[in-house]
Amino acid sequence: MKTITNIGKYFIMLRYVFSRPERFKIYKNRVFDEIEIIGLSSIPLVALLSGFMGAVMTLQTAANMDSPLLPIETIGYITRQTTILEFSPTVISLILAGKIGSNIASEVGTMRVTEQIDALEIMGVNSLGYLVLPKIIAGVLTFPFIIILSIATSLLGGLVAGVQSGLVTQEDYIKGLRYWFIPGDINYALVKAVVFAFIITSIASFYGYYTKGGALDVGKSSTQAVVFSSIAILVANFILTNLILL
Amino acid sequence: MIEVVGVNKHFGEAHVLRDINAKFSAGKVNLIIGASGSGKSVTAKCIVGLHEVDTGQILYDGRNFTEMERNDRKEIRKEIGMLFQGSALFDSLTVEQNVMFPLTMFTEMSREEMRERANFCLDRVNLNNKNHLLPAECSGGMQKRIGIARAIAMNPKYLFCDEPNSGLDPKTAIVIDNLIKEITYEYQMTTIVITHDMNSVIEIGDHIIFIHQGQKWWEGTKEEILKTDNQEINDFVYAADFMKEIKEMLGKH
Ligand SMILES: Nc1ncnc2c1ncn2[C@@H]1O[C@H](COP(=O)(O)OP(=O)(O)OP(=O)(O)O)[C@@H](O)[C@H]1O
Ligand SMILES: [Mg+2]
C-alpha cells in the first residue's frame, strides 16, 4: 500500500520538477555544478572498476575456453558483448546508484530537515524545480559519456590483461572486438544509460525531498534511495531488453 | 495586515492549534509568546503556508491565502521574509550569496547592486567582513543574524522572525530587537516575532499574543502584560527573578 502511494507521490513530484523554471540563467549554473558533482566526480571510480572488470572478464573467458573448435577471437568478442550489453550500462549504473543516489538523497534530505527547503518555498522559489531538475538534467547528460568511458576502459583492461597473461595476442583480441559488431548495441547501451540516470537522480531526490524528522531519517532516506533506485534499474533493464533487443 | 481566522491544526492525533483568531497590523511589532512546545512555530508556519491548516483561513491584506493556488501563493511569498528558528541558511552558499539569493532569483539587479544590497543588510545586523565564510564556519548567533539579513534583503511587506535573538549575547540581542523595530516602523511592515525573551517583550512588543497549549490565551500590549493577573501569563512572565523585582517596583509606584 505504502509503495503504491509512494509511486503516486513520485509522479506528482515529477510534475512540479518539470514546471517552468523561474530563472533560466540560475538553472543553467546549477546544471553545471551538478554535472561536476554527479558526472566528473564519478569518473575515477568508473574507470577503475571498468578496467579491472574488463580484465577479469577476458581472463575468465580465456581460461574457460577449452574447446579447440572455438576461434581465439571469441575472447575479445565475448568481452565486448558483455561489456556493452550489460556490464557498463547496468552494473556501473547499479554501482553509481549507490554512490550518486545516496549522495543526492542525503544532500536533499539534510536540506529538508534543516528547513532549507522551507526557506526556498517561503521565498517563492519552486524548490523541486530548483533542487531536483538540475540533478536530473546533469545525470541524463553525463551518464552516456560515463558509460562510453566505462566501455572503453573495460575493453582496454581486457586487452592489457589478455596480452600480459599470454592468453591472447593483441591482434586476436582486437579482431574479436571487431567481430560481428552491431552498432545498434551501442545505442541500446546509451538508451539504458539515459533511463538509468533519470531513475537514479529522480528516485534519490524523491526520498531526500520527502524526508521527515532529523539526521537519523536522512540516513534512512539515503538507504531507501539506493535500494529503490537499484530495484527500479533492474526492472527497467528487463523491460528495455524486451523492447529493444527482442 | 495579516488576519488569522479560526485556525485549527492537527498532527495525527495531536491537536496542536485550537481555534486561533488573531489580527497582526502593519507598522507594529506583533509578538507571539508562549512556553516551549505551545505551538508558536506551528502558528507561524501555518500563516506562511508551510503547514496546511485543517480549518480556518489566513488573509494577507484581505487576500485569502488559504484558498489560493500554488502559483498565486508564490506571489504573496515574494512579499514575505522569514527567519527560521534554526536559521535554515543554504549551507553550500557563502554568507554573501545567502543574502543575495532572493535577489538573484527575483530581481533584475546587476551583480554589483546585489552585492551592495547584501552588504547593506549584513551591516544592519552588525556583520562585516564575513561575506566569504560558509554558514558552517559561523557561530549560531552569526547564523541567526545572516538569516535576518536574508529575510530583509527583498524589503518584505511581511516579516516573520522565529526566535530572532535566542542564542545571542544581550548586547547583540538588543541590536536585533532595535533593527526589527526600526524597519517595521520605517517600512510599515507587518512583523510577527516569536520569542520567549522577556527583554524583547518589554522592548518591542506593540501587540502581544500569548499562546498556551495551542490556544490563544491572552492578547494585549507590553504595558498590559505586566499588569494582568492571568495566572498562566504571570507564570510565564515572572519566571525570572529579575522580572519579579520589576513587578514589585511597579507595585510600589
Ligand atoms: N512537523 C511536526 N509533526 C508533528 N508534530 C509537530 C510538528 N511540528 C510541531 N509539532 C508539535 O506541535 C507542538 C508545537 O510545536 P512548536 O514547534 O510550534 O512549538 P514552539 O511553541 O515553537 O516551541 P519552542 O519555543 O520550543 O520553539 C509540539 O508539541 C510539537 O511536538
Ligand atoms: Mg518554535
Side-chain angles (χ1 to χ4, degrees):
Chain A
M1 192 54 219
K2 182 119 186 288
T3 320
I4 296 170
T5 8
N6 271 348
I7 292 173
K9 226 162 121 187
Y10 169 79
F11 284 104
I12 293 171
M13 174 192 89
L14 288 184
R15 222 192 64 215
Y16 287 119
V17 169
F18 289 101
S19 56
R20 199 173 56 83
E22 282 101 6
R23 269 289 157 99
F24 192 72
K25 198 170 142 249
I26 292 173
Y27 276 68
K28 203 182 70 195
N29 293 339
R30 288 265 303 119
V31 170
F32 284 124
D33 289 346
E34 293 294 344
I35 284 180
E36 195 172 330
I37 299 167
I38 293 174
L40 300 184
S41 76
S42 303
I43 286 178
L45 175 72
V46 168
L48 187 77
L49 284 172
S50 306
F52 276 100
M53 282 306 287
V56 172
M57 268 187 265
T58 302
L59 294 181
Q60 290 274 16
T61 317
N64 285 300
M65 283 210 332
D66 294 334
S67 165
L69 290 175
L70 280 174
I72 192 80
E73 296 92 61
T74 312
I75 297 175
Y77 173 75
I78 288 187
T79 306
R80 184 196 80 206
Q81 285 306 80
T82 320
T83 298
I84 295 180
L85 294 182
E86 289 307 325
F87 171 71
S88 286
T90 312
V91 177
I92 289 292
S93 292
L94 283 171
I95 290 164
L96 290 181
K99 176 181 179 284
I100 298 171
S102 62
N103 177 304
I104 290 179
S106 54
E107 180 197 331
V108 179
T110 304
M111 292 189 73
R112 166 61 76 197
V113 302
T114 56
E115 299 181 317
Q116 291 176 54
I117 291 181
D118 289 342
L120 284 171
E121 286 289 324
I122 280 301
M123 291 173 191
V125 176
N126 168 8
S127 59
L128 276 170
Y130 178 78
L131 291 175
V132 179
L133 186 59
K135 292 186 196 298
I136 295 181
I137 294 177
V140 165
L141 287 180
T142 50
F143 258 53
F145 292 99
I146 291 181
I147 298 309
I148 297 274
L149 171 85
S150 162
I151 293 175
T153 42
S154 167
L155 297 184
L156 188 69
L159 174 71
V160 172
V163 172
Q164 276 287 315
S165 63
L167 289 168
V168 61
T169 66
Q170 187 169 338
E171 291 73 41
D172 287 337
Y173 182 82
I174 290 173
K175 216 161 137 197
L177 290 188
R178 292 190 172 157
Y179 182 72
W180 206 275
F181 177 65
I182 308 167
D185 287 352
I186 295 277
N187 293 343
Y188 166 72
L190 294 183
V191 169
K192 292 216 288 194
V194 169
V195 173
F196 297 163
F198 185 88
I199 286 175
I200 295 170
T201 47
S202 61
I203 291 185
S205 301
F206 173 79
Y207 280 101
Y209 192 85
Y210 293 105
T211 303
K212 277 208 176 90
L216 268 181
D217 304 274
V218 174
K220 263 187 226 153
S221 298
S222 155
T223 311
Q224 280 176 321
V226 176
V227 170
F228 286 99
S229 53
S230 303
I231 294 173
I233 286 176
L234 293 173
V235 173
N237 189 32
F238 180 74
I239 296 172
L240 284 174
T241 310
N242 275 305
L243 285 180
I244 301 179
L245 286 191
L246 299 181
Chain B
M1 183 171 75
I2 299 175
E3 286 164 89
V4 178
V5 188
V7 164
N8 279 281
K9 176 73 189 166
H10 292 78
F11 286 112
E13 292 290 291
H15 196 169
V16 175
L17 295 184
R18 296 162 187 263
D19 198 34
I20 303 270
N21 288 284
K23 271 189 189 158
F24 303 101
S25 344
K28 272 191 188 173
V29 181
N30 301 280
L31 300 188
I32 299 179
I33 62 172
S36 181
S38 55
K40 304 181 297 293
S41 296
V42 174
T43 305
K45 285 184 181 176
C46 282
I47 296 176
V48 296
L50 287 174
H51 292 318
E52 291 300 327
V53 300
D54 296 338
T55 60
Q57 259 144 19
I58 312 289
L59 305 161
Y60 283 83
D61 289 310
R63 296 172 290 177
N64 193 330
F65 186 73
T66 316
E67 317 250 286
M68 276 181 193
E69 295 286 318
R70 202 181 149 95
N71 275 330
D72 298 328
R73 282 188 176 191
K74 265 200 208 162
E75 293 312 309
I76 291 202
R77 285 192 169 157
K78 287 175 195 167
E79 301 171 356
I80 296 179
M82 181 157 184
L83 167 72
F84 286 81
Q85 193 165 356
S87 300
L89 301 176
F90 303 125
D91 39 35
S92 59
L93 304 181
T94 64
V95 169
E96 184 180 78
Q97 286 168 337
N98 261 286
V99 181
M100 278 165 59
F101 186 86
L103 305 173
T104 56
M105 281 315 260
F106 299 114
T107 68
E108 301 298 331
M109 287 184 187
S110 70
R111 267 215 107 54
E112 273 321 300
E113 288 168 325
M114 286 190 230
R115 199 159 273 147
E116 216 168 273
R117 174 78 193 155
N119 280 320
F120 173 78
C121 295
L122 285 168
D123 202 45
R124 294 206 75 160
V125 293
N126 274 357
L127 266 179
N128 309 100
N129 305 321
K130 305 283 189 227
N131 294 23
H132 300 291
L133 294 183
L134 287 170
E137 297 164 339
C138 297
S139 69
M142 280 161 70
Q143 291 178 4
K144 274 263 147 76
R145 287 184 280 156
I146 300 159
I148 294 175
R150 184 177 69 181
I152 62 175
M154 291 279 279
N155 241 329
K157 251 173 105 169
Y158 312 101
L159 180 65
F160 294 80
C161 296
D162 197 343
E163 306 201 359
N165 46 26
S166 66
L168 295 182
D169 61 281
K171 206 171 149 210
T172 316
I174 290 172
V175 170
I176 297 297
D177 279 347
N178 284 333
L179 167 71
I180 291 173
K181 196 155 80 176
E182 265 171 49
I183 56 177
T184 302
Y185 296 166
E186 195 177 328
Y187 301 111
Q188 287 295 300
M189 286 177 188
T190 304
T191 302
I192 299 180
V193 178
I194 295 173
T195 184
H196 30 215
D197 177 13
M198 278 317 293
N199 267 324
S200 309
V201 173
I202 304 304
E203 215 39 66
I204 60 174
D206 296 327
H207 174 218
I208 302 165
I209 285 184
F210 178 74
I211 296 193
H212 180 64
Q213 294 175 350
Q215 277 169 291
K216 187 177 87 176
W217 204 256
W218 182 88
E219 98 181 270
T221 62
K222 61 189 169 196
E223 289 81 20
E224 287 162 355
I225 201 170
L226 294 174
K227 291 181 195 139
T228 175
D229 43 22
N230 185 309
Q231 188 57 44
E232 280 75 18
I233 298 229
N234 284 340
D235 287 350
F236 179 84
V237 172
Y238 300 109
D241 286 339
F242 81 96
M243 288 302 300
K244 286 187 195 122
E245 280 165 27
I246 291 179
K247 182 166 182 134
E248 274 159 25
M249 273 161 57
L250 284 174
K252 279 176 200 153
H253 289 291

